[in-house]
Amino acid sequence: MQHLLDTWAQRLRPATRRPRVALAEGTDPRALWAAVRLAEQHAITPVLVGDPARIHARAAELGLKLPDDPDRLDLLDPAALAADDHCADTLAKALAARRGLPLAGRRDLAADPLYLTATALRLGKVDACVAGSNRPTADVLRAGLHVVGLAPGIRTLSSSFLMVMPGGDLLGYGDCAVVVDPTSRELADISLATAATYRALTGETPRVALLSFSTKGSAAHVQVDRVREALSLVRATAPDLVVDGEMQYDAAAVPAIGRSKVPSSKLAGRANTFVFPGLAAGNIGYKIAQWAGGAAAVGPLLQGLAAPLHDLSRGCTGPDIAALALASALQAEAVLG
């Protein structure tokens, strides 16, 4: 994992300017630790969101020295964002578009640091955002959908994990956090998005396997049909993408088994990007790889928003926050040039 993070930092340092990545829970000890470590790498500018006095006081309690140079580490005060007319107006319009949200709810969200940070992302005050160390995933998803919005042409908000295997291999897993029971169209969207995320973070060509309990017709079921339909949609949309399915995991990942089960497939046994047929399989699968297989999981990486905003587990560590911040910066850097 450390080698991967060092590689990401090296990729980011030559950028024309450092991406500014907001850490939405700026007084959280884990976010403070991550911000100081990120500042030391000189690859991005971490932006701690919170009351500046509280941030400095909390850092002092933890024995952390915050750099004075705002190009190395910056602070973003939610109160100042709320007082900014452009920011307040943008957020008010986004909240007004939410049908059924009562006025009291709008007022609460208009002062919510998470929503204010999402507004700063939408307005370009920061280039990416990492949030959720103290918030449920649903809060982060709602802030992303209702304030940042989906990217043009995107229909499905999804997620993926970058799995760092014990031997150093990097695998993409999607969707393990957002879409519970995807349609064939949503599965196709998840496949394309996960391939793009994998390419952006690894620099490698994605080889995408659409997973199932069936391998090329070994079982008949409506869930298998859905995966086959998704494969057809992916191939029609991205004919140059290396993709195949439906496949069981072993046929997609193990060369000897792939050659045995699907000898005609160029992908079999060589996949590096895996799309699960539903959230139950995806969530269970990545946790087995993480806790039984010894893999490190970077994510969940939200896919489909107009700007990079990623969700943290509430059980995250400081290194988890730093890793997700660097990943979001790579995605932002692709836009910044």
Side-chain angles (χ1 to χ4, degrees):
M1 173 63 88
Q2 189 57 52
H3 174 71
L4 176 65
L5 299 185
D6 291 342
T7 299
W8 284 351
Q10 290 171 6
R11 286 176 58 187
L12 286 161
R13 287 191 189 103
T16 305
R17 72 172 181 86
R18 294 177 188 165
R20 290 168 51 83
V21 181
L23 307 183
E25 292 90 7
T27 58
D28 187 306
R30 297 164 293 178
L32 285 161
W33 182 93
V36 171
R37 296 300 178 270
L38 289 165
E40 291 171 351
Q41 290 182 319
H42 302 281
I44 71 172
T45 300
V47 180
L48 289 165
V49 180
D51 174 72
R54 288 188 60 206
I55 289 175
H56 282 291
R58 193 72 177 110
E61 291 173 7
L62 297 167
L64 296 172
K65 173 64 175 175
L66 302 183
D68 294 328
D69 183 355
D71 286 334
R72 291 185 59 198
L73 188 152
D74 204 2
L75 306 183
L76 190 59
D77 187 351
L81 289 173
D84 180 279
D85 289 341
H86 189 198
C87 181
D89 183 60
T90 299
L91 180 53
K93 289 179 179 176
L95 295 175
R98 291 185 58 185
R99 297 179 181 178
L101 181 64
L103 183 59
R106 293 183 199 174
R107 288 172 179 164
D108 289 341
L109 294 179
D112 187 324
L114 173 59
Y115 278 74
L116 289 163
T117 307
T119 307
L121 176 61
R122 175 171 172 169
L123 296 177
K125 295 179 182 292
V126 295
D127 303 304
C129 174
V130 174
S133 61
N134 293 315
R135 302 288 290 264
T137 291
D139 286 359
V140 179
L141 294 180
R142 281 192 288 264
L145 278 172
H146 296 298
V147 180
V148 180
L150 293 176
I154 297 296
R155 294 160 295 205
T156 305
L157 176 66
S158 66
S159 74
S160 69
F161 280 86
L162 183 68
M163 307 300 293
V164 186
M165 307 308 289
D169 289 343
L170 302 176
L171 304 178
Y173 280 15
D175 176 0
C176 305
V178 177
V179 186
V180 176
D181 188 24
T183 65
S184 57
R185 178 71 267 177
E186 288 171 332
L187 267 179
D189 291 344
I190 291 166
S191 302
L192 295 168
T194 302
T197 298
Y198 183 83
R199 187 189 300 274
L201 297 186
T202 68
E204 299 176 10
T205 299
R207 299 187 297 274
V208 185
L210 276 65
L211 299 177
S212 177
F213 58 82
S214 168
T215 296
K216 292 296 185 180
S218 64
H221 193 276
V222 64
Q223 293 180 359
V224 177
D225 294 339
R226 189 185 306 169
V227 176
R228 292 174 186 157
E229 291 167 4
L231 175 65
S232 297
L233 291 169
V234 171
R235 284 177 166 167
T237 304
D240 294 331
L241 181 66
V242 180
V243 59
D244 206 351
E246 84 281 6
M247 287 185 184
Q248 293 161 291
Y249 194 95
D250 56 355
V254 182
I257 296 175
R259 287 193 297 270
S260 172
K261 288 189 173 184
V262 204
S264 62
S265 174
K266 296 180 180 179
L267 175 77
R270 300 177 55 250
N272 56 24
T273 305
F274 301 87
V275 177
F276 293 86
L279 188 58
N283 192 268
I284 292 168
Y286 102 81
K287 288 183 182 292
I288 290 174
Q290 182 180 25
W291 296 108
V298 180
L301 300 148
L302 298 184
Q303 302 174 151
L305 293 173
L309 185 154
H310 295 313
D311 178 41
L312 291 162
S313 164
R314 280 174 284 177
C316 68
T317 64
D320 291 335
I321 296 175
L324 208 54
L326 287 171
S328 67
L330 280 173
Q331 294 175 311
E333 196 270 340
V335 175
L336 296 171

